Amino acid sequence: MAATIKIHDKVFTPFISKETIEQRVAALGKQIDEDYAGKNPLFIAILNGSFIFAADLFRHITIDAEISFIKLASYKGTSSTGNVVTAIGMEEQLHHRHIIILEDIVDTGKTLYSFLPEIELRQPASLKIATFLSKPSALKHPVHADYIGFEVPNKFVLGYGLDYDGHGRNLPELYELVED
Ligand code: 5GP
């Protein structure tokens, strides 16, 4: 396994190996493949963090399926709505479709909690979440992920699409931050 790496002022240590990730993502893909047979699901991957997970997972889907990539932009709403998250690049019709959201990590759950109502408004046939990582001890909003690659402790992680200040997304394994 790769050695400790340094990005800017932070040191990261290997956490989950490339082989373990590959096996887990293959298993998740197989499970989704079975669950959605005949349903022509539409995967919606949230950029940037999920792009590696989405590409690897999608290659394990053998049934008829589609994938689309969106970016989320957050802006200040009114005092009653708080921060509003809106999707950029969502062109597909979601009405009556079976939707699977692909995320890199559910941390506090804030992003998905703010964004899911936008999907629900479009009345999909079903809506599920597949996330590469979940940090249950950091969760602050009622977000339920249906498919989880790995549950991780409440530590900053890097690699396999997840970055630190834009760096590290290309690392094939997962690293965790070494606290000072
Ligand atoms: P949430 O809204 O669930 O708190 O977090 C959403 C986003 O924060 C994730 O999609 C991810 O981009 C970023 N994030 C949360 N935890 C981590 C982490 O440990 N490492 C990295 N690189 N990004 C994280």
Side-chain angles (χ1 to χ4, degrees), residues 49 103-112 135 155-158 162-164:
E103 251 293 31
D104 54 353
I105 182 165
V106 178
D107 182 21
T108 64
K110 185 170 180 244
T111 308
L112 284 180
K135 277 188 197 164
K155 283 191 178 176
F156 189 83
V157 291
L158 173 84
L162 291 104
D163 74 310
Y164 171 56

Side-chain angles (χ1 to χ4, degrees), residues 3-150:
T4 294
I5 57 163
K6 194 169 183 216
I7 298 180
H8 300 321
D9 53 326
K10 305 284 185 208
V11 176
F12 296 86
T13 183
F15 179 35
I16 304 179
S17 74
K18 179 175 180 268
E19 292 72 26
T20 304
I21 292 173
E22 278 169 3
Q23 283 168 15
R24 182 67 192 129
V25 173
L28 267 189
K30 189 167 181 285
Q31 194 187 339
I32 295 174
D33 210 44
E34 289 169 7
D35 292 353
Y36 283 83
K39 292 184 170 173
N40 183 27
L42 171 62
F43 291 81
I44 298 179
I46 302 180
L47 294 172
N48 294 330
S50 78
F51 78 110
I52 303 260
F53 172 55
D56 283 352
L57 184 85
F58 199 59
R59 277 181 283 197
H60 290 287
I61 302 299
T62 64
I63 58 169
D64 197 20
E66 293 165 59
I67 188 163
S68 185
F69 293 81
I70 60 163
K71 268 210 155 194
L72 297 183
S74 167
Y75 60 92
K76 256 198 170 349
T78 63
S79 54
S80 64
T81 57
N83 254 21
V84 180
V85 173
T86 189
I88 301 169
M90 203 156 65
E91 278 140 24
E92 282 75 14
Q93 295 292 328
L94 306 190
H95 193 56
H96 291 162
R97 294 295 307 268
H98 293 281
I99 308 295
I100 305 162
I101 304 287
L102 299 180
E103 251 293 31
D104 54 353
I105 182 165
V106 178
D107 182 21
T108 64
K110 185 170 180 244
T111 308
L112 284 180
Y113 185 69
S114 317
F115 168 61
L116 290 178
E118 187 174 330
I119 301 274
E120 278 157 359
L121 268 180
R122 296 171 191 233
Q123 298 182 309
S126 68
L127 176 58
K128 289 201 173 173
I129 297 165
T131 185
F132 172 53
L133 302 173
S134 164
K135 277 188 197 164
S137 55
L139 196 67
K140 290 197 183 122
H141 300 272
V143 169
H144 169 76
D146 304 278
Y147 300 97
I148 298 171
F150 301 93

